[in-house]
Amino acid sequence: MRNRTNKRIFPDDFQWGVATSAFQLEGSPNADWSAWDPVLGDIPRITNHYALFREDLKLLKDLGVNSYRFSLEWSRIEPRPGVWDEEAIAHYQEIIDILHSYNIDPMVTLHHFTHPRWFLERTPWHRSASREKFLRYTEMMVSTLRNVRDWITFNEPYVILIGGYLDGCTPPGLRDVPRSLVALKNIFTCHGKAYDIIHHYVPDARVSIAHNMSVFAPWKKWNPLDRLLRNRANFFYNHSIINAFKTGVFVIKFPFMRPVEIEVPIKDKLDFFGVNYYTRIHLRFNPFKKMGVELRHLDIDGHGLTNLGWEIHPRGLAKVLRYASRLNMPLVITENGIATHDTEEKVKYMKRHVDVIERCLKDGLDVRGYYYWTLIDNYEWLQGLDARFGLYHVNFKTLKRTPTSAASYYSYLIQSRSSL
Ligand code: BGC
């Protein structure tokens, strides 16, 4: 799209993409999560993408994207410690090769929430041996897979820590603040070292994490405790990670606890910053909840709530991008999407968020890419199979994929706003 002065706003090399994660599409018998969620007992292969990947990649070609973010399922690649499954590695290489044949650049995520079962049982993130295991896997992948320039080491490290170590709703299911801090140190140390490993094998690589950023607001503006929670959440979730990439030190201030400082070797270990953005969260002080925090979603903008009850708040994307621009490096929206059965809502959600990016570009923010979450309906970690984030609808009984109007809208949007 051109603005009134007829100047192109989205650069020619803007990365228009779609993001997925392996486990959410294909499951894996050796993954920790398969044993964690009973829903997967009935549908272990989920969309059967592992077998149907060629057809699914064709959908990307039809969409007209020029980049595709997907993850490697570690538990397929290393089903037992130190035992590498050649077939699985060849499978992911084939995905990369097919993408190149379609002129689509791969962006590969090494870790998207799941682990091999043995990793969780023997060396979970709060054990120091976790580092060597993850880095061995990283080196194996980076030295073996060909023609990948864009790498994401970890998807949403804070979500791993909150779910697995504070809330206990995801593996390893702990509620243990001291261990969460050890796990934080181990995960980010791995990021820093993986950054160097990737650059060793791929000198022109572009490496980041995908960080889930949210906008926080007090439930009642007049309530100083709600405001305190907003400030603490913003500090922890949005600020501390950005600060740690600038300084090499995490400053963690949980509500009503003394601040903790943790050194990690990640200073400047980023080539761009990946932002996953979905929603705004209102916070209410409630002494009966963990750390006194209750999360709320309110429909303040009048755009409604998603299928998962999340507020639709497109303006928040500008806010988090402006915040992330403190890193002074390219920003990529590595995920943005909506869970809904209503495809018109999906179209509106996408348009509103891309409009916000357009305004950010006009304001001079260095945004390089947008990845819609997600290609086809998939398994959603805590909500099972009914979230429906896909551009393509999946019938989980027949596994048939059917385009929603959001798929054709995304193609149109890509064409109209770029020179592809
Ligand atoms: C995660 C995805 C997830 C999506 C929607 C992101 O935080 O990276 O795996 O499906 O949000 O919840």
Side-chain angles (χ1 to χ4, degrees), residues 21 24 69 112-113 155-156 159 212 276 278 308 310 335 373 378-381 383 389:
S21 89
Q24 289 178 274
R69 175 178 169 225
H112 198 123
F113 296 163
N155 181 67
E156 302 185 351
V159 175
N212 182 225
N276 293 355
Y278 288 89
L308 302 182
W310 299 353
E335 282 181 35
W373 180 270
N378 62 5
Y379 164 74
E380 176 60 27
W381 307 103
Q383 288 87 4
F389 277 95

Side-chain angles (χ1 to χ4, degrees), residues 307 312 337-352 372 374-375 377 387-394 402-410 413:
N307 228 6
I312 300 171
I338 176 174
T340 177
H341 287 252
D342 181 340
T343 57
E344 287 315 307
E345 280 302 313
K346 209 165 270 182
V347 166
K348 280 194 221 150
Y349 184 96
M350 190 188 282
K351 179 178 184 318
R352 287 188 175 123
Y372 183 77
T374 187
L375 181 62
D377 290 337
R388 306 240 170 243
F389 277 95
L391 294 175
Y392 289 78
H393 174 273
V394 174
T402 312
T404 69
S405 47
S408 42
Y409 182 75
Y410 193 32
L413 204 150

Side-chain angles (χ1 to χ4, degrees), residues 199 226 256 273:
H199 275 280
D226 292 358
F256 315 111
F273 192 59

